[in-house]
Amino acid sequence: MAFFQNTRKPEGLGGKLMVTMMNHGHASLSAFGLQHIAIQENASCLDLGCGGGANVKKLLARSPQGHVTGLDYSEVSVAKSRKCNAAAIEAGRCEIVLGNVMDLPFPDDAFHVATAFETIYFWPDLAQAFAQVFRVLKPNGLFLLCNEASGADAKGAKWASLIEGMRVYSSEDLRRLLRQAGFSNLKMSENPKGWLCIVAEKKATPQPKQPL
């Protein structure tokens, strides 16, 4: 099972193979997730746990006048994602950052959209990570979260028992933690395969009325 530990943090030759597999293997999941969100042409987007960079490329296509940042804590993933998106990086429309979702290296209110595909299983403290995502989103920004495992069947639990550091969350767990972080207007979708998609919004804080 050592090879599959690379799903958590790709390293070495096995990690290089894994991120290539992820780019192809997660294509259907990302298509399922992205149909649930509207992205403006000039949006600033953040892909968390960007892996091999395929979803960064899709976000660039959805925001042709915008900017996309990919973040991963694996050096192998960062290198692959930079290679996959080299033209956009050269054009100044993309940046791939080595960093950790537990302490995002971005200012407050920086992004219109944040995405996380098949990655939150490995975030060590989901409450803290969601709070970080909430912080870096602009008011009215959207957080798109997509998982193949929703906790509704035994498949996810089996993988979690085999891969160190993996945890599968139910839709109710995620709903509670997202609301705890400040998100609202949660929209949840599940397909016949059991894939789970959640879109959560960082509502703008109403400004107090000024006295006449």
Side-chain angles (χ1 to χ4, degrees):
M1 190 50 62
F3 172 70
F4 288 101
Q5 286 297 133
N6 284 292
T7 58
R8 181 178 62 85
K9 187 176 184 180
E11 295 179 333
L13 183 59
K16 292 178 181 179
L17 177 59
M18 180 59 73
V19 293
T20 299
M21 291 171 60
M22 286 177 176
N23 274 355
H24 297 285
H26 294 165
S28 295
L29 177 71
S30 63
F32 164 66
L34 287 170
Q35 69 181 339
H36 293 93
I37 189 171
I39 300 176
Q40 300 298 316
E41 289 190 350
N42 62 346
S44 176
C45 302
L46 171 65
D47 186 37
L48 298 157
C50 63
N55 291 323
V56 169
K57 186 177 287 289
K58 289 182 179 181
L59 291 169
L60 284 162
R62 292 283 293 272
S63 55
Q65 283 135 48
H67 186 277
V68 179
T69 300
L71 177 135
D72 207 290
Y73 73 158
S74 160
E75 293 182 359
V76 168
S77 294
V78 167
K80 177 66 174 180
S81 193
R82 286 174 177 166
K83 183 177 180 180
C84 182
N85 295 284
I89 292 171
E90 180 67 22
R93 293 194 53 234
C94 180
E95 181 182 17
I96 308 297
V97 177
L98 182 67
N100 197 310
V101 71
M102 305 305 296
D103 186 18
L104 291 173
F106 310 113
D108 297 356
D109 306 333
F111 301 97
H112 296 98
V113 173
T115 60
F117 296 93
E118 280 288 273
T119 183
I120 68 164
Y121 313 124
F122 309 112
W123 296 0
D125 185 335
L126 221 53
Q128 180 179 336
F130 284 173
Q132 282 287 299
V133 178
F134 186 87
R135 178 183 66 78
V136 302
L137 279 174
K138 295 178 182 290
N140 299 317
L142 298 176
F143 179 29
L144 171 66
L145 185 161
C146 289
N147 290 344
E148 285 188 8
S150 64
D153 56 38
K155 182 173 63 175
K158 177 183 178 181
W159 281 108
S161 71
L162 295 172
I163 300 174
E164 182 182 352
M166 179 177 179
R167 179 177 174 184
V168 177
Y169 296 88
S170 71
S171 58
E172 286 307 310
D173 287 335
L174 296 173
R175 188 195 305 270
R176 174 180 55 82
L177 288 163
L178 286 164
R179 285 178 171 163
Q180 179 181 310
F183 288 101
S184 58
N185 196 22
L186 273 59
K187 297 177 181 177
M188 312 187 75
S189 302
E190 197 166 342
N191 73 358
K193 296 180 180 180
W195 296 353
L196 177 66
C197 170
I198 304 176
V199 179
E201 184 177 1
K202 176 181 176 177
K203 294 287 286 185
T205 304
Q207 295 299 312
K209 292 183 178 180
Q210 298 298 318
L212 297 176

